[in-house]
Amino acid sequence: SPALARMLARSQDRLALCEKHPDEFLALSAELRETPRASVHEMDGYVAVRAMLPPPERRALVLIDPPFEAKGEFAAIVTAVREGLHRLPAGTFAIWYPLTERARVDRFFEELGALTLPPTLMLELTVAGADAGPKMNGCGLVVINPPWRFEETARPLLADLTGLLAQSPGA
């Protein structure tokens, strides 16, 4: 995610990246050392939502790309989104999630739906069929306050990615 953000950032954009794990923080800091207008913070990204919003620009894309190592990750995301939207109602929030267990994702959607959300887009990509078992068979992205025409660009990309990454029938 940081490499993509750096690649897509415009010259006037400012990147603020957070990494909680010390070794990963050091690697990310070294990688972005020469990147203008980029800062790396050794902190939990969920804390950063409270600490860094709203930004001086009053506009932001907040990418939530959790490791999904903890059981309460989806609940933490919902809390961060609630706090983030309170601090920056017009901010764009993009949330990446794995597709491993449909019930967990459906519960996540229910919890998000309990919030009063502005326009929201959900995209999913599956690369393995329903018989893939417990492994990750795809991923999803929830985009709150998506940019204008984002869906028109994203949906064809999903079809292209499915063709490139499909591992089994049903992808």
Side-chain angles (χ1 to χ4, degrees), residues 20-106:
K20 184 168 102 174
H21 298 289
D23 292 341
E24 297 297 324
F25 165 75
L26 291 174
L28 186 57
S29 296
E31 180 68 26
L32 294 173
R33 185 174 293 122
E34 303 296 322
T35 303
R37 299 181 53 83
S39 59
V40 181
H41 307 270
E42 188 173 8
M43 67 189 304
D44 186 314
Y46 299 124
V47 172
V49 168
R50 290 188 303 274
M52 296 182 171
L53 292 180
E57 300 88 352
R58 302 306 241 187
R59 300 171 34 134
L61 165 62
V62 177
L63 173 61
I64 300 174
D65 183 7
F68 284 94
E69 296 169 346
K71 285 189 178 191
E73 204 80 62
F74 280 120
I77 292 168
V78 172
T79 299
V81 166
R82 180 184 309 110
E83 291 174 353
L85 286 171
H86 176 74
R87 293 174 179 277
L88 187 66
T92 298
F93 294 79
I95 306 148
W96 179 90
Y97 59 92
L99 291 175
T100 53
E101 184 184 331
R102 187 78 241 174
R104 289 180 61 215
V105 173
D106 288 344

